[in-house]
């Protein structure tokens, strides 16, 4: 369950224009307007602001009016103060972090794709390929490059298959690989990649 809600904060208090009298006690120049902002929060982290409201109050008699019940002579001044009050940047904190995280993930994904193509073209001992099972496309396993010479790589297959697109952390331990090896060419690897059979390359040691 996600806990979310709305919160109000005081943004600004400013005097109404010179010449404004209190509609209740007629004291001149004693009126001020306070602007409040509402923002949405998720787990108390502000996400985005969405509305403003204003209250006018007389400093002399303390009578206050909300916008709905505000006498007409106060409205233009209050509206002007409200419009010139902006939401503070921290109201956007959650949404900002979320957008930054998405942009970061996108850029990281692009870099990873570029690395994958470069790693496949020039294999290193220690590269680990993620392989989609031929029999069951929901299952994944690993191939480990033991040595790379020219256009040929010696690989050991992992003996396990799991239904996780990133099986590296679970399957990459030495005792889980077969003792027998297999030779593949760089072209074989590229064909497997193009067919979607080889889905990822990780180079753990540079
Ligand atoms: Zn008053």
């Amino acid at each position: 369950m996600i806990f979310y809600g709305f919160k109000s904060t005081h943004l600004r208090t400013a005097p109404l224009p010179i010449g404004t009298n209190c509609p209740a006690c007629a004291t001149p120049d004693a009126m001020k307007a306070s602007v409040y902002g509402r923002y949405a929060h998720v787990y108390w982290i502000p996400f985005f602001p969405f509305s403003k409201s204003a209250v006018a109050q007389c400093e002399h008699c303390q009578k206050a009016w909300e916008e709905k019940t505000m006498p007409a002579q106060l409205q233009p001044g209050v509206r002007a103060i409200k419009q010139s009050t902006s939401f503070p940047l921290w109201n956007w904190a959650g949404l900002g972090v979320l957008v930054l995280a998405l942009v970061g993930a996108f850029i990281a994904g692009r870099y990873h794709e570029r690395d994958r193509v470069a790693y496949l073209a020039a294999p290193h001992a220690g590269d680990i390929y993620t392989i989609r099972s031929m029999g069951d496309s929901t299952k994944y396993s690993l191939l480990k490059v033991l040595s790379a010479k020219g256009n040929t790589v010696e690989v050991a297959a992992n003996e396990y298959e799991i239904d996780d697109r990133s099986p590296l952390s679970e399957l990459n331990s030495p005792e889980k690989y077969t003792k027998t090896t297999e030779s593949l060419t760089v072209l074989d690897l590229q064909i497997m990649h193009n067919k979607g059979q080889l889905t990822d390359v990780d180079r753990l040691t540079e």
Side-chain angles (χ1 to χ4, degrees):
M1 197 186 90
I2 294 180
F3 184 87
Y4 67 96
F6 305 104
K7 231 173 128 53
S8 283
T9 49
H10 172 251
L11 300 181
R12 182 160 83 116
T13 296
L16 286 180
I18 302 292
T20 308
N21 293 347
C22 171
C25 71
T27 304
D29 306 332
M31 294 298 303
K32 59 184 181 180
S34 295
V35 182
Y36 298 87
R38 258 157 80 79
Y39 63 85
H41 70 82
V42 177
Y43 291 106
W44 298 277
I45 300 162
F47 250 72
F48 54 86
F50 69 96
S51 73
K52 279 185 278 192
S53 60
V55 173
Q57 189 171 24
C58 171
E59 287 193 301
H60 181 73
C61 71
Q62 303 300 319
K63 182 149 174 65
W65 293 269
E66 289 184 28
E67 280 168 287
K68 272 180 248 165
T69 57
M70 197 172 287
Q73 73 259 37
L74 299 180
Q75 285 176 11
V78 171
R79 204 177 303 130
I81 290 170
K82 193 174 154 187
Q83 277 168 1
S84 64
T85 303
S86 46
F87 291 110
L89 214 52
W90 62 261
N91 275 190
W92 297 95
L95 201 62
V97 166
L98 200 66
V99 166
L100 285 180
L102 287 175
V103 168
F106 177 76
I107 291 171
R110 292 293 295 269
Y111 272 105
H112 196 66
E113 172 61 27
R114 220 176 57 178
D115 286 352
R116 185 183 303 155
V117 171
Y119 292 166
L120 275 181
H124 274 195
D127 285 356
I128 312 246
Y129 303 138
T130 298
I131 301 293
R132 196 199 292 262
S133 169
M134 300 254 248
D136 177 352
S137 64
T138 63
K139 297 244 185 290
Y140 294 82
S141 190
L142 300 173
L143 281 181
K144 181 158 83 175
V145 177
L146 300 176
S147 66
K149 271 194 202 97
N151 269 339
T152 312
V153 292
E154 287 290 317
V155 296
N158 200 279
E159 293 184 311
Y160 299 85
E161 285 187 341
I162 56 171
D163 48 5
D164 181 340
R165 287 169 55 86
S166 308
L168 190 70
S169 56
E170 200 171 325
L171 296 187
N172 188 34
S173 40
E175 74 280 5
K176 289 184 176 163
Y177 288 94
T178 55
K179 299 286 170 276
T180 56
T181 64
E182 194 184 338
S183 288
L184 293 170
T185 65
V186 167
L187 186 63
D188 290 333
L189 297 174
Q190 277 160 356
I191 291 169
M192 287 163 78
H193 184 226
N194 291 342
K195 280 184 175 167
Q197 223 181 314
L198 191 163
T199 58
D200 201 5
V201 183
D202 290 281
R203 180 161 292 175
L204 303 181
T205 49
E206 279 295 276

